[in-house]
Amino acid sequence: MKRNEYLLLLDADDTLWESALFFERTEHDFLSLMTALGSSEEEVRRIVHRKDVERLSITGYGAKPYIDTLRMIMLDLVPEAPSWALTAMDDIQKNLLGHPVILLPGVISTLENMKNLPVKTMVYTMGENDHQTDKFARSGLISYVDELRIVPRKNVNALRDVLVYADVEPRNCIIVGNSPRSDINPALSLGAVAVHVLRDRTWTAEREDFIDTGSVITIESFNELTDILGNFLKIDISQIENNSITSDWRHHS
């Protein structure tokens, strides 16, 4: 069994590490700021959610475009925002862009086990290159995977490009992620194996029905991935020798 015949694509945000949690905190801080400026919290919340979805077709995904949307909303509602409010907005931005990278339970131990499996592992994420690269560097996961690939938006075409680049057939690829829209349905569309990681927090724009519910493997903990991969490769995980596989690590965006 050749290692490069098989590909494991791992989503990053809310699959490997916390992300939505910090966006929720950012929204909470912004709503508090706007309330202090005299706006209705519920009205601002509705505007934020509407504008956040509307911007995707223009700016794509990312923390900075999200912050830019919040700034625009603030200036639309309070054109003459006082200096303290502008400073508060700067602090809100710093908190989101520099939030700690908190790995989810089981990530390190599972990736450690998978280093010895005959499969190429790639972190496949979307958003702004600099922000995602920074988070990945701070995650400490560089020695656990073969590559990092960042795209502006994850969809069927982006996934097809990754498979062509890796020279891997869809049936030999496992895609792991928490988003039905960006991770699971593109995988199902191309005939790849789709593993859905259940999370309490999933961004509204990423929610949609699975196109083939019966083909989705659902897990509640990242630890469950080791056995799934073993079954996929038809190997006994317990028999894998504890020798890391050396790889030429690469970053693509």
Side-chain angles (χ1 to χ4, degrees):
M1 181 182 294
K2 295 182 180 179
R3 185 165 185 256
N4 286 339
E5 290 180 356
Y6 297 93
L7 178 65
L8 174 65
L9 294 180
L10 300 172
D11 174 46
D13 293 335
D14 292 310
T15 296
L16 296 176
W17 56 67
E18 291 282 5
S19 178
L21 168 67
F22 299 105
F23 277 87
E24 288 181 5
R25 290 178 179 176
T26 298
E27 179 181 309
H28 178 270
D29 289 344
F30 181 70
L31 293 176
S32 296
L33 171 61
M34 295 307 298
T35 299
L37 291 171
S39 297
S40 162
E41 179 176 324
E42 286 307 313
E43 177 188 1
V44 175
R45 192 195 314 277
R46 286 193 295 270
I47 294 173
V48 168
H49 292 178
R50 175 169 55 83
K51 294 288 187 181
D52 193 27
V53 174
E54 289 176 354
R55 73 175 171 84
L56 292 180
S57 61
I58 302 173
T59 65
Y61 292 80
K64 289 181 181 177
Y66 177 68
I67 289 293
D68 289 342
T69 298
L70 298 186
R71 287 186 183 276
M72 178 188 68
I73 293 171
M74 181 178 72
L75 294 179
D76 283 346
L77 296 178
V78 189
E80 301 297 329
S83 60
W84 68 263
L86 299 177
T87 300
M89 193 65 234
D90 289 341
D91 290 338
I92 290 173
Q93 174 174 329
K94 291 176 184 176
N95 288 339
L96 180 60
L97 296 183
H99 73 71
V101 177
I102 301 176
L103 297 179
L104 294 172
V107 167
I108 288 292
S109 59
T110 302
L111 292 180
E112 181 68 41
N113 290 334
M114 294 193 305
K115 285 170 67 174
N116 305 309
L117 299 179
V119 60
K120 184 175 182 178
T121 304
M122 181 186 298
V123 173
Y124 173 53
T125 186
M126 64 182 174
E128 299 167 296
N129 185 68
D130 57 348
H131 189 219
Q132 293 300 95
T133 301
D134 173 65
K135 287 192 292 185
F136 180 73
R138 289 189 286 127
S139 74
L141 296 180
I142 188 171
S143 64
Y144 292 91
V145 301
D146 298 298
E147 292 192 42
L148 167 66
R149 190 172 190 93
I150 303 169
V151 295
R153 185 189 300 269
K154 292 201 291 188
N155 51 31
V156 172
N157 290 333
L159 178 56
R160 184 181 292 112
D161 289 343
V162 171
L163 294 175
V164 169
Y165 159 77
D167 193 22
V168 171
E169 294 294 325
R171 67 177 180 274
N172 290 338
C173 177
I174 294 183
I175 292 132
V176 182
N178 72 299
S179 169
R181 178 179 181 177
S182 296
D183 299 314
I184 305 307
N185 283 339
L188 295 174
S189 296
L190 293 182
V193 178
V195 179
H196 182 225
V197 183
L198 281 177
R199 293 303 313 277
D200 293 334
R201 297 178 174 89
T202 298
W203 186 29
T204 302
E206 290 299 298
R207 299 173 186 168
E208 65 181 24
D209 293 335
F210 295 138
I211 60 175
D212 183 3
T213 304
S215 296
V216 179
I217 301 171
T218 299
I219 61 177
E220 296 183 0
S221 170
F222 203 82
N223 289 319
E224 300 174 58
L225 188 58
T226 304
D227 287 338
I228 291 172
L229 197 55
N231 291 333
F232 174 70
L233 298 171
K234 296 180 175 59
I235 59 177
D236 184 351
I237 297 295
S238 65
Q239 298 302 312
I240 297 295
E241 295 182 3
N242 188 26
N243 293 313
S244 298
I245 298 175
T246 302
S247 63
D248 178 17
W249 195 89
R250 285 170 284 180
H251 168 205
H252 297 274
S253 60

